[in-house]
Amino acid sequence: MKKIFLIMGLVSVIIAVCMIYLVRKGVSLRSEPLIRPTVISADQRNIANHTVMRLFPDFQTSHYVLWGVLPESNDTQLLMAHFLEEYYKQFKSPAHVIQDGTKASAEEIAQCPKPCWIKLPHDLANTLKTNEFIDSKILPTEKPYITLTVMAFNGDETVSDFCNQEQRLTLDCVAPVAVREIHRKMKDPTQLYFFLRKYNERDLFLFIQKELPKNSQ
């Protein structure tokens, strides 16, 4: 019996050491799947509907939502309109939008009422690496925030050697790595899909398929 307890104690120590190593070295742990691969509806409104419902209560408890959507395409502008409509429909409260966070002063951001949605370039809307925007304009407010980056994919992504060898998941690697993890769940190759995943406890990535795989066309 003593040997069993000793072995269990050693295993616990090894696990603790491994976790400390992972945290210090920045090795990315497996993401948390929030919305499984889902076929996009004809009007694309189900993307906003599913996401707003799934992120309850994150949307309500967060003062800021940092949106990685700039520069916006027509598709992204339509998507954001759906999100604003869906948020108001569900919670009867309008979101206050800062159209370009890179041009907003720290004072404007600090005074933006809750919920404050700030549109940003992809590289400023997550904490996969040190983020000067968040460090200088969000953290000083001491108000809770989440990030939500919209990532397009076409279904033909391949994971590069660089992404396979990276200890920390980078923005360039997020989409191909995530698609590799879920591609078998995209059952119908003639349909477009979206899915939602969480990294680092507060970084959300909304993956939206824009094109069908070439071998399905």
Side-chain angles (χ1 to χ4, degrees):
M1 185 64 70
K2 290 183 178 180
K3 289 184 178 180
I4 294 177
F5 285 125
L6 179 60
I7 292 173
M8 292 177 63
L10 288 174
V11 170
S12 298
V13 171
I14 292 172
I15 292 174
V17 170
C18 290
M19 291 302 295
I20 292 172
Y21 175 84
L22 289 173
V23 171
R24 289 183 175 179
K25 294 297 183 180
V27 179
S28 61
L29 302 179
R30 189 175 181 82
S31 64
E32 179 183 355
L34 299 183
I35 297 178
R36 63 179 176 78
T38 302
V39 174
I40 299 173
S41 62
D43 60 7
Q44 301 187 31
R45 288 181 178 274
N46 69 330
I47 300 176
N49 176 267
H50 282 54
T51 304
V52 170
M53 295 299 292
R54 182 63 182 85
L55 291 184
F56 176 84
D58 298 76
F59 269 138
Q60 290 69 50
T61 58
S62 299
H63 188 100
Y64 299 107
V65 179
L66 309 184
W67 289 84
V69 293
L70 298 182
E72 287 183 290
S73 65
N74 290 336
D75 285 347
T76 308
Q77 291 173 355
L78 179 61
L79 178 67
M80 291 301 299
H82 289 334
F83 265 101
L84 288 167
E85 292 171 3
E86 188 63 31
Y87 186 88
Y88 185 81
K89 175 183 175 182
Q90 296 296 334
F91 306 111
K92 309 305 179 186
S93 174
H96 306 275
V97 182
I98 294 179
Q99 295 295 335
D100 188 343
T102 63
K103 298 178 180 178
S105 66
E107 181 180 5
E108 180 182 355
I109 291 173
Q111 293 179 353
C112 183
K114 178 183 179 181
C116 181
W117 293 6
I118 305 175
K119 296 181 182 179
L120 292 165
H122 284 183
D123 61 334
L124 295 181
N126 64 79
T127 60
L128 296 182
K129 64 177 182 178
T130 302
N131 189 315
E132 183 179 349
F133 177 86
I134 291 176
D135 290 344
S136 63
K137 294 186 177 180
I138 301 299
L139 294 183
T141 68
E142 299 184 346
K143 298 173 183 176
Y145 73 94
I146 57 173
T147 74
L148 180 52
T149 303
V150 178
M151 303 289 287
F153 71 95
N154 59 26
D156 288 324
E157 283 79 3
T158 57
V159 181
S160 66
D161 290 339
F162 171 80
C163 292
N164 275 324
Q165 295 170 8
E166 274 291 278
Q167 288 186 318
R168 179 182 290 276
L169 195 61
T170 65
L171 186 61
D172 291 335
C173 297
V174 165
V177 169
V179 172
R180 178 177 63 182
E181 292 178 357
I182 59 86
H183 77 280
R184 291 182 180 178
K185 298 180 181 179
M186 297 165 62
K187 303 291 186 180
D188 188 347
T190 67
Q191 298 286 346
L192 298 177
Y193 288 80
F194 73 95
F195 62 99
L196 180 69
R197 309 206 109 180
K198 178 188 285 189
Y199 299 81
N200 298 338
E201 298 302 320
R202 66 159 49 91
D203 288 329
L204 303 158
F205 285 85
L206 177 60
F207 300 93
I208 301 177
Q209 188 176 6
K210 295 298 185 180
E211 298 178 4
L212 296 174
K214 294 179 180 178
N215 58 11
S216 68
Q217 297 178 1

